[in-house]
Amino acid sequence: MFFGFKDLVDILLVALLLFEAFRILRTSGAVNLFWGILAYIGLWFLVSFVLRLELTGAVFNFIGSAGAVALVVIFQEEIRGMFSRIGSRMSNAQIVRFRQEEQKGWLTEAQIHQLILACEHMSDTKVGALIVIAGEQELEEYEQTGETVNADISARMIENIFFKNTPLHDGALIVRNGRLQSAACILPVSKNQHIPKHYGLRHRAALGLAEKSDALCIVVSEETGKISIAEDSKIATVKLAALTEKLQHKN
């Protein structure tokens, strides 16, 4: 049998689908389910195409069809997040291509300076904070869980919001279109089991949103004062200089 270019593309597409399925299930804390599905596919292939057991193969086909529907229902949020990220990246590519001048500068230098100043002060005083900077993807469903602020970006305003025992300190502050839109917002908590133990609930909430959107999330730890960034389904602790560079690079 001749192995052609079409066969190579077919194998690569299947490998890509399996990798994406593994990534979704890993971030959902259900990686063992992936290996179970992989074992089922291998057994189904053996029964249907190698041993050619028609009755057993028909049973496997029925279970596979019902199982596929069940998986879509169980992991609908993760699947929706995956397609949202794909759509967001495509939208970003079109914007870069057709609207470069209009999109240049998501935050002004003055706004970035105010954000950095607030993070520096909160880090020094160990005031916990979670700041979300929206990308192209809408975050309206999360903004509606908090209180509308609709204020200019200023270090004093941000520090007042996250000051201990104030009504709005517990939750996320969402920044969109160069303004502080909503505070005390509730974010989805990541189910990723590989998050380091020293990360708290704020970090898990930041990563949870980073897994579902193209937003950039900044976390200031209340225990250590360290600053972390969550983006593209990843989270890492960074220095203040790296945060500044990251925000400026977005421009």
Side-chain angles (χ1 to χ4, degrees):
M1 181 181 294
F2 179 72
F3 183 83
F5 177 75
K6 192 194 316 187
D7 300 306
L8 178 62
V9 172
D10 191 22
I11 293 174
L12 290 176
L13 286 175
V14 171
L16 181 63
L17 288 172
L18 289 175
F19 173 77
E20 189 64 28
F22 173 77
R23 192 187 63 79
I24 291 174
L25 293 176
R26 184 183 62 181
T27 56
S28 302
V31 68
N32 289 334
L33 182 60
F34 172 80
W35 298 118
I37 293 173
L38 206 60
Y40 175 85
I41 293 174
L43 189 59
W44 168 77
F45 182 83
L46 177 66
V47 168
S48 299
F49 297 96
V50 178
L51 301 178
R52 298 185 181 277
L53 303 177
E54 294 185 6
L55 182 58
T56 307
V59 173
F60 269 76
N61 289 336
F62 174 77
I63 295 175
S65 300
V69 175
L71 287 175
V72 170
V73 173
I74 294 173
F75 295 101
Q76 56 180 318
E77 289 189 9
E78 287 77 8
I79 294 173
R80 184 177 65 178
M82 178 188 71
F83 283 112
S84 294
R85 285 193 298 272
I86 293 174
S88 176
R89 288 169 185 170
M90 292 177 65
S91 175
N92 287 342
Q94 291 176 347
I95 289 171
V96 169
R97 182 177 177 183
F98 299 109
R99 298 173 57 192
Q100 287 183 337
E101 293 302 320
E102 185 177 344
Q103 278 299 113
K104 185 178 180 182
W106 69 314
L107 291 175
T108 65
E109 287 293 330
Q111 291 169 339
I112 291 175
H113 175 71
Q114 292 297 314
L115 279 169
I116 294 299
L117 196 61
C119 290
E120 182 180 15
H121 289 169
M122 291 187 294
S123 176
D124 291 340
T125 56
K126 294 185 179 180
V127 174
L130 173 51
I131 304 172
V132 176
I133 304 177
E136 289 302 315
Q137 191 170 337
E138 291 290 337
L139 299 178
E140 185 177 355
E141 61 178 304
Y142 304 113
E143 291 180 24
Q144 292 177 350
T145 64
E147 298 293 333
T148 300
V149 177
N150 192 22
D152 293 333
I153 297 177
S154 71
R156 286 187 177 182
M157 176 65 77
I158 295 172
E159 291 178 60
N160 283 336
I161 288 174
F162 289 109
F163 189 77
K164 295 179 181 180
N165 300 324
T166 58
L168 301 180
H169 86 283
D170 193 13
L173 172 64
I174 296 181
V175 179
R176 178 172 53 82
N177 295 333
R179 295 185 66 79
L180 307 178
Q181 296 291 347
S182 300
C185 299
I186 300 173
L187 304 185
V189 178
S190 175
K191 300 175 183 177
N192 191 334
Q193 296 180 344
H194 300 284
I195 300 176
K197 299 297 182 182
H198 62 271
Y199 282 154
L201 186 59
R202 282 192 179 94
H203 298 83
R204 287 188 170 273
L207 183 58
L209 186 63
E211 291 170 349
K212 297 177 181 294
S213 71
D214 62 343
L216 172 67
C217 303
I218 304 170
V219 183
V220 180
S221 173
E222 188 173 354
E223 287 75 23
T224 64
K226 292 182 178 179
I227 299 173
S228 301
I229 295 177
E231 187 181 27
D232 294 333
S233 302
K234 299 177 182 178
I235 187 168
T237 301
V238 298
K239 299 293 186 181
L240 195 65
L243 174 61
T244 304
E245 183 180 354
K246 181 70 175 179
L247 293 175
Q248 292 175 341
H249 179 70
K250 280 281 189 179
N251 281 336

